[in-house]
Amino acid sequence: MSDKPAEEPSSHPEIPDDVWEQFARDSERDIRASAPKEPSARAREVTERLKKNKGAEPEGWRTGPAWQEMNGRARRRRRVWALLGLPLAIAVAVVAMKPSLIPGDPFGGTAESDSAAATPLAPETTAPTAAPSAADSETPTLDRPFAGSPALNWADGAAGIVLPQAKAVGVFSKSQVQLALKQAEKLLVEANLNPKTTAGARPTAALAVLDPKQPGLIADLNTSLSTPSKARDPLMMFSRFDPKGVRLVGDVVKTRGRITFKEGEHSGVLIHADYTFVYPVVRTDGSTEVTRTIVRRVLDLQLLDPARYQVTSGRLSVDRYDADFGNSACEVYDGFFHPGFPSAEPTGAAPSGPTTDPYDRSNDIGEGGDEPCGTVSRT
């Protein structure tokens, strides 16, 4: 990224007017259909019997905050990885410059030519079965910030977010599902690829995708952005670097992942997104040393049935947002990633977790509580 003010990304496709118009018509129809009606005597009888048997009304009755019928809060997970320890990192850098210092083939294969390595991969349609093979041993530079990375032949930015073909799901029409997918794409782009977001600005466009009626979510995200902490960390949803310390190299962030959808458990459309973003960065002190931070995000988003839930038409609700961070200081909760550079002393707490490959997309990053900060095998 250059030093001049960043512009909004233009690679993100706009939502066609006919899709918006169809969505508005469908939404108006759904709202009319969902208007509360006086239940029949038979319905009241069934409800009373269910109350006696279960102590609650059957699912689907509009009797209060519908989000009480669901978890209503995103499940969170934090696993931040530190850079390779300083002595090992220096050794790797030396070998990268002169591999002949180590006998044999320390990198597990011969390096591909630039043209072969840069051949774009086909879009990811299913979960990989293994980590990417070892890339070449080149050291990243300002001119080639992805040299030596498996991400070299990943898609550039929003081009890596390939939406599936929309179709009608449950009560939602094809055009409504298409709009929901576009909204999910917009969230991914604005939260992870917008140059203003990555430079630490408020991710207003990303927040605008989310349903303000989901209890606690917007308030928690606003708190995380204004007063970040371990309990409320904006990095769980947004990719942000402190512009006073580091900046992106060039204007390309590499992207790899997939997005799918199906009918959800709560009469809605469940959208599952699993993406890894690779950010090449350099310090702002004039150094030309390049390193990379790798961020994997898994999001479960829902478009809920307005006849059953109190939601905002056209907005998405969040079921889950999990993240793994590769090459960022441990136990630093100021709302920014803090990449480690091979020539610099490590910052943050010492890693205590396992060594992990941040490019490995073959495993589910799981759900639940915090994971110990470990070490990356490569950046």
Side-chain angles (χ1 to χ4, degrees):
M1 184 170 61
S2 64
D3 292 332
K4 64 181 180 179
E7 300 292 335
E8 297 286 350
S10 59
S11 59
H12 172 59
E14 298 294 333
I15 298 174
D17 290 340
D18 59 334
V19 174
W20 276 111
E21 292 172 2
Q22 182 63 43
F23 174 75
R25 290 193 295 270
D26 292 342
S27 297
E28 183 180 357
R29 179 201 63 206
D30 290 341
I31 292 171
R32 287 198 301 268
S34 65
K37 300 179 177 63
E38 179 67 22
S40 65
R42 173 61 178 166
R44 290 195 296 268
E45 179 183 346
V46 171
T47 299
E48 289 301 318
R49 184 168 68 249
L50 288 171
K51 280 183 177 180
K52 293 178 181 178
N53 292 339
K54 295 186 178 180
E57 290 186 336
E59 182 180 0
W61 286 79
R62 297 168 63 86
T63 57
W67 275 97
Q68 291 179 0
E69 299 175 25
M70 302 174 60
N71 179 25
R73 290 292 186 95
R75 296 181 290 271
R76 300 176 183 178
R77 181 174 190 260
R78 180 183 179 88
R79 191 163 92 192
V80 185
W81 292 314
L83 185 65
L84 287 165
L86 180 63
L88 178 57
I90 292 175
V92 170
V94 171
V95 171
M97 291 184 288
K98 193 170 184 180
S100 60
L101 291 177
I102 294 182
D105 184 4
F107 296 103
T110 58
E112 299 182 37
S113 67
D114 287 349
S115 58
T119 302
L121 291 176
E124 183 179 288
T125 56
T126 59
T129 58
S133 59
D136 60 54
S137 58
E138 289 187 85
T139 300
T141 65
L142 293 176
D143 292 331
R144 301 190 63 237
F146 297 100
S149 167
L152 181 63
N153 57 357
W154 290 8
D156 294 352
I161 303 174
V162 180
L163 298 181
Q165 183 67 39
K167 64 180 180 179
V169 173
V171 301
F172 293 102
S173 67
K174 177 181 177 179
S175 63
Q176 289 174 308
V177 174
Q178 181 182 358
L179 178 60
L181 290 170
K182 289 287 187 181
Q183 291 286 71
E185 179 189 23
K186 182 178 180 181
L187 177 60
L188 290 166
V189 170
E190 298 296 341
N192 301 282
L193 299 172
N194 186 326
K196 293 182 179 179
T197 299
T198 56
R202 179 177 172 80
T204 303
L207 292 168
V209 172
L210 305 177
D211 193 339
K213 293 184 179 179
Q214 180 172 0
L217 179 65
I218 299 298
D220 282 354
L221 292 176
N222 282 332
T223 299
S224 74
L225 290 164
S226 60
T227 54
S229 64
K230 182 176 182 179
R232 289 183 172 85
D233 186 351
L235 298 180
M236 291 304 301
M237 182 68 80
F238 312 110
S239 293
R240 309 170 80 234
F241 295 87
D242 186 350
K244 297 178 182 178
V246 297
R247 62 175 177 83
L248 295 185
V249 178
D251 57 3
V252 173
V253 174
K254 290 292 186 176
T255 305
R256 182 99 180 134
R258 62 193 183 279
I259 187 168
T260 59
F261 70 95
K262 63 180 182 179
E263 185 169 1
E265 298 178 357
H266 304 286
S267 300
V269 181
L270 176 63
I271 299 172
H272 179 78
D274 183 342
Y275 283 89
T276 299
F277 303 93
V278 182
Y279 302 91
V281 294
V282 66
R283 287 178 293 235
T284 55
D285 61 1
S287 170
T288 60
E289 184 180 27
V290 177
T291 191
R292 292 178 287 255
T293 290
I294 303 97
V295 179
R296 182 180 175 190
R297 299 194 184 279
V298 175
L299 297 169
D300 284 338
L301 308 167
Q302 286 212 65
L303 181 66
L304 292 169
D305 182 1
R308 302 180 66 184
Y309 295 97
Q310 297 177 8
V311 294
T312 305
S313 295
R315 302 290 187 92
L316 298 178
S317 303
V318 180
D319 254 8
R320 168 191 179 190
Y321 56 109
D322 289 344
D324 277 352
F325 312 142
N327 187 17
S328 184
C330 297
E331 304 300 324
V332 178
Y333 301 103
D334 62 357
F336 299 112
F337 291 125
H338 290 274
F341 291 82
S343 66
E345 290 289 339
T347 59
S352 60
T355 298
T356 314
D357 183 354
Y359 291 98
D360 187 354
R361 295 183 39 77
S362 64
N363 299 316
D364 187 354
I365 66 175
E367 304 169 13
D370 294 351
E371 295 286 340
C373 183
T375 304
V376 293
S377 60
R378 56 180 171 174
T379 62

